[in-house]
Amino acid sequence: MSSIDGAAIKKVVIACDAGMGSSVMVASQLAKRLKPYSVSVSHTPVNDIPDDADVVLCQSTLLARARKSTGDTVVLGFQSFLGDPVFDRVEAAIRDGGSLDD
Amino acid sequence: MLTADGIHLGRAATGRDDAIDQCGRALLDLGAVEVDYLAAMHEREASLSTFIGEGVAIPHGTDQSRQFVKRTTLVVLQFPDGVDWGSGNTVKVCVGIAANGSEQVGILSALAHVLMDGDKAERLRSAADTRTVLDLLQSIDEENSQ
């Protein structure tokens, strides 16, 4: 289990298998929500997650693959591409501070 | 990237595989992909469903299959009678994606906004002309929009 303080989150990465569809959908929603907090949101294939990501989000079924390369970075899974509760958790931690745990 | 000749309304499909084939062939007809991309679309779907909610799926290939993409292109296929997508999901609209860059981001952002709005999502599912689809999925530039 990893954790990060919401105030330290500057880069959120959304990963999916190909990085061309699903992760783009999620990244676009989160980018809009996190825009007021100057947090960058990007999307990548799950095998190509950048080292400097503060938080990684991916489909729950990809969690194991994502964690292979992310060390102690917080990695959270989502079930729904549209308005998953985990998006609210990430936004709340960034907005209000406090620990975000996976 | 998404043009009127990539929008096919009022289609029928015998099932998920047929719907994905139709998306792949639409991309092929536009010269966006090589034929090998179609197998990658089925491979991707088998490993992880591309159903995203609100009766919409976004079939696309795998990371490895980017080599078969000649031009980043999206197609929209509408199946008014619905297609059984497994896990209790029914799909009425497929947005087929072939991407070798990130030019598709704006349109997928627009799709996300449409699907978060119940009325707009229904307009997409029941669109009777290509103009409606193009208007709903006008590219949004997240970086520069409020």
Side-chain angles (χ1 to χ4, degrees), chain A residues 16-22 24-25 27-29 31-32 35 41 43 45 47-48 59 61-62 80-83, chain B residues 37 44 48 51-52 54 58 60-63 66 97 99 104-105 108-109 111-113 115-116 142-143 145-146:
Chain A
C16 71
D17 179 61
M20 68 171 82
S22 329
V24 177
M25 296 277 305
S28 71
Q29 295 170 62
K32 192 174 186 194
K35 195 181 167 76
V41 180
H43 61 94
N47 296 329
D48 200 17
Q59 251 180 301
T61 45
L62 289 176
S80 167
F81 290 95
L82 302 169
Chain B
Y37 191 75
R44 168 62 172 83
L48 205 56
F51 180 79
I52 56 170
E54 287 292 337
I58 51 169
H60 57 271
T62 58
D63 195 22
R66 283 172 189 267
I97 304 168
Q104 81 280 22
V105 169
L108 292 179
S109 298
L111 179 62
H113 288 292
L115 299 185
M116 299 289 279
E142 276 316 330
E143 290 300 309
S145 67
Q146 286 304 311

Side-chain angles (χ1 to χ4, degrees), chain A residues 32-45:
Chain A
K32 192 174 186 194
R33 292 176 61 167
L34 300 183
K35 195 181 167 76
Y37 313 108
S38 302
V39 174
S40 86
V41 180
S42 56
H43 61 94
T44 72

Side-chain angles (χ1 to χ4, degrees), chain B:
Chain B
M1 208 182 344
L2 174 64
T3 52
D5 56 1
I7 298 173
H8 304 276
L9 304 178
R11 288 280 184 105
T14 57
R16 188 181 75 169
D17 287 352
D18 181 28
I20 292 169
D21 267 332
Q22 292 187 38
C23 290
R25 281 201 299 274
L27 289 165
L28 201 57
D29 288 346
L30 293 174
V33 297
E34 293 171 33
V35 70
D36 293 321
Y37 191 75
L38 275 68
M41 292 175 79
H42 287 288
E43 188 192 324
R44 168 62 172 83
E45 198 70 47
S47 72
L48 205 56
S49 172
T50 62
F51 180 79
I52 56 170
E54 287 292 337
V56 176
I58 51 169
H60 57 271
T62 58
D63 195 22
Q64 290 74 24
S65 68
R66 283 172 189 267
Q67 59 182 305
F68 304 125
V69 176
K70 295 195 268 190
R71 186 163 45 84
T72 294
T73 303
L74 283 81
V75 292
V76 176
L77 279 74
Q78 182 198 53
F79 301 97
D81 294 336
V83 179
D84 180 358
W85 215 260
S87 309
N89 297 317
T90 300
V91 164
K92 293 198 167 183
V93 174
C94 283
V95 178
I97 304 168
N100 55 10
S102 56
E103 306 98 305
Q104 81 280 22
V105 169
I107 291 174
L108 292 179
S109 298
L111 179 62
H113 288 292
V114 165
L115 299 185
M116 299 289 279
D117 178 328
D119 291 343
K120 285 184 178 171
E122 179 53 28
R123 277 170 58 202
L124 180 66
R125 288 190 296 266
S126 61
D129 55 73
T130 56
R131 186 75 251 164
T132 303
V133 176
L134 286 171
D135 286 347
L136 282 168
L137 297 184
Q138 262 185 26
S139 185
I140 295 175
D141 184 351
E142 276 316 330
E143 290 300 309
N144 298 309
S145 67
Q146 286 304 311

Side-chain angles (χ1 to χ4, degrees), chain A residues 51-70:
Chain A
D51 292 337
D52 61 348
D54 297 316
V55 174
V56 176
L57 296 179
C58 66
Q59 251 180 301
S60 298
T61 45
L62 289 176
L63 277 169
R65 276 176 64 192
R67 287 197 172 117
K68 274 184 194 166
S69 65
T70 51

Side-chain angles (χ1 to χ4, degrees), chain A residues 26 29-30 33 57 60 76-93 95 100, chain B residues 116:
Chain A
V26 171
Q29 295 170 62
L30 266 187
R33 292 176 61 167
L57 296 179
S60 298
L76 298 166
F78 55 83
Q79 305 277 351
S80 167
F81 290 95
L82 302 169
D84 194 281
V86 80
F87 307 157
D88 299 330
R89 270 183 67 199
V90 173
E91 183 182 358
R95 183 187 60 226
L100 184 67
Chain B
M116 299 289 279

